[in-house]
Amino acid sequence: MASLEVENGSGIKVHVFSSSSELLESLHEKWGSVKKQPYPAMYSSVYGGITLDPAMMVIPMDDHMVHRGHGVFDTAIILDGHLYELDVHLARFLRSASKARIASPFPCSTLRSILIQLAAASKCKKGTIRYWLSAGPGNFLLSPAGCPTSAFYAVVIDEDFSQRKEGVKVVTSTIPMKSPLFATMKNVNYLPNVLSVMEAEDQGAFASIWIDEEGYIAEGPNVNVAFISQDKELILPIFDKILSGCTALRLLQLAPKLIEQGRIKSVKTGNLTVEEAKGAAEMMYVGSTLPILPIVMWDEQPIGDGKVGELTMALSDLLWDDMVAGPATLRMPVPYEE
């Protein structure tokens, strides 16, 4: 059947695909021009399996995650062929889903098995695996009552990352941060995060810092933030109004090693004012693929001596070593097929 073209009022002709095979051919042409496939595998509960074809890595337009933002997500790392902290991330994922009132179509054990099989099928040895639970497809209404079932999606992202050793600049965000309900739930409504990063980039900075309504330090747009005080205390903001980062929580478990070595005095969470935070000796972002990113300047003011801190890098070493050679309970070998 010949393809059709429909002419609109402006004189531009919009192509109408005559068949799904013609559309798929067009999508394959698009992806064929990509030198390296960034998404080696995807799982979708809608079609009930894994695809290695990037042209088929799609979700329905009437999925409530797409048009209403009714979805949650999380991310785990693949490093040296191992999934790092998968169970920790999955537990947070399901806590987020519960807050968003999304019931998983599968038990946790099945979700875990799917993600492991997806990582294996991707053959990716270094990257991330990102996964979503949505209220599912069904209609374009506000209520998901008409959606037959929730949906689970996951994508492997071939992503190179390494230990970050260069310092970055940050700014204080003027974009309102999320309320505690939404900030502590890792949901797909990331517009404030996006605008916050764009605001920082407009000022030549890497990213931003949110301050809560009480004037205390909160978090970055997609990372936690931590400080080394002048008294050599490691301090992270309390997690009651912000996302409890899995890497930040692991940092709190590992950092006491520096206390044993006499390099820092204590490790704690607490409220920090902007004045206290800007007066810190060292400052850093904490996140999965960083795992520590030194911050050397904030609002054009140097943090400490304006250089990457020795203790910041010591903490980075602790986390990186944990990622590449940590306990077997945290590092799961991916069962790749030869």
Side-chain angles (χ1 to χ4, degrees):
M1 180 178 179
S3 62
L4 303 174
E5 289 186 345
V6 176
E7 186 173 344
N8 65 18
S10 65
I12 298 174
K13 292 184 177 180
V14 179
H15 184 76
V16 178
F17 290 96
S18 61
S19 65
S20 57
S21 59
E22 184 196 359
L23 173 58
L24 189 57
E25 181 181 355
S26 176
L27 289 171
H28 281 148
E29 287 178 3
K30 171 193 171 184
W31 283 105
S33 63
V34 176
K35 292 183 179 179
K36 183 180 179 182
Q37 168 55 261
Y39 318 121
M42 175 186 174
Y43 171 86
S44 169
S45 64
V46 173
Y47 49 71
I50 295 170
T51 180
L52 308 182
D53 184 348
M56 301 304 295
M57 295 180 186
V58 296
I59 64 176
M61 274 297 295
D62 65 344
D63 190 301
H64 273 230
M65 184 168 69
V66 174
H67 62 87
R68 299 299 179 190
H70 194 181
V72 299
F73 78 101
D74 220 299
T75 307
I77 285 176
I78 305 172
L79 181 59
D80 295 337
H82 289 72
L83 282 161
Y84 179 67
E85 285 202 309
L86 175 61
D87 292 331
V88 176
H89 284 272
L90 262 177
R92 183 177 64 180
F93 179 59
L94 292 175
R95 289 196 300 271
S96 294
S98 177
K99 289 183 178 181
R101 298 183 62 181
I102 301 172
S104 173
F106 310 115
C108 182
S109 59
T110 302
L111 297 177
R112 186 177 188 271
S113 178
I114 289 170
L115 294 176
I116 293 169
Q117 292 179 63
L118 178 65
S122 76
K123 301 187 184 303
C124 179
K125 301 295 177 69
K126 188 177 186 182
T128 57
I129 185 164
R130 186 167 298 181
Y131 39 97
W132 296 261
L133 269 177
S134 85
N139 56 42
F140 288 95
L141 303 178
L142 272 175
S143 171
C147 301
T149 183
S150 57
F152 179 61
Y153 307 104
V155 171
V156 173
I157 304 168
D158 189 339
E159 181 179 5
D160 189 22
F161 54 87
S162 58
Q163 193 175 8
R164 303 293 292 271
K165 299 183 179 181
E166 300 295 323
V168 299
K169 299 179 181 180
V170 299
V171 296
T172 301
S173 180
T174 65
I175 305 299
M177 65 179 289
K178 299 173 185 176
S179 66
L181 172 64
F182 296 109
T184 57
M185 176 202 315
K186 199 169 177 68
N187 62 86
V188 299
N189 296 291
Y190 258 49
L191 184 56
N193 311 63
V194 170
L195 294 177
S196 181
V197 168
M198 293 178 70
E199 177 185 44
E201 291 174 342
D202 288 343
Q203 299 177 54
F206 177 81
S208 56
I209 303 294
W210 265 316
I211 313 298
D212 70 22
E213 59 185 11
E214 296 180 83
Y216 294 123
I217 304 303
E219 59 185 343
N222 64 340
V223 284
N224 291 105
V225 62
F227 303 86
I228 300 290
S229 73
Q230 297 293 341
D231 293 331
K232 295 192 175 180
E233 293 181 305
L234 172 63
I235 309 173
L236 279 75
I238 297 172
F239 299 117
D240 58 350
K241 296 180 181 178
I242 60 175
L243 189 69
S244 56
C246 296
T247 307
L249 293 173
R250 185 60 178 157
L251 177 64
L252 290 171
Q253 295 173 340
L254 294 171
K257 292 181 180 180
L258 297 188
I259 298 178
E260 296 170 5
Q261 298 170 12
R263 302 181 70 180
I264 61 176
K265 183 185 296 184
S266 65
V267 176
K268 66 179 185 179
T269 60
N271 287 322
L272 279 157
T273 65
V274 175
E275 182 180 2
E276 290 169 333
K278 288 188 173 181
E282 301 179 30
M283 179 179 178
M284 66 207 80
Y285 279 138
V286 185
S288 293
T289 58
L290 302 174
I292 296 283
L293 178 59
I295 296 171
V296 297
M297 188 167 289
W298 181 2
D299 290 338
E300 301 301 326
Q301 298 178 27
I303 298 297
D305 61 6
K307 299 178 181 179
V308 174
E310 177 185 347
L311 295 175
T312 296
M313 291 315 302
L315 293 168
S316 178
D317 289 341
L318 283 177
L319 278 170
W320 190 258
D321 290 346
D322 196 58
M323 291 163 61
V324 299
T329 53
L330 295 181
R331 298 180 69 249
M332 177 188 305
V334 176
Y336 302 102
E337 292 185 7
E338 296 297 332

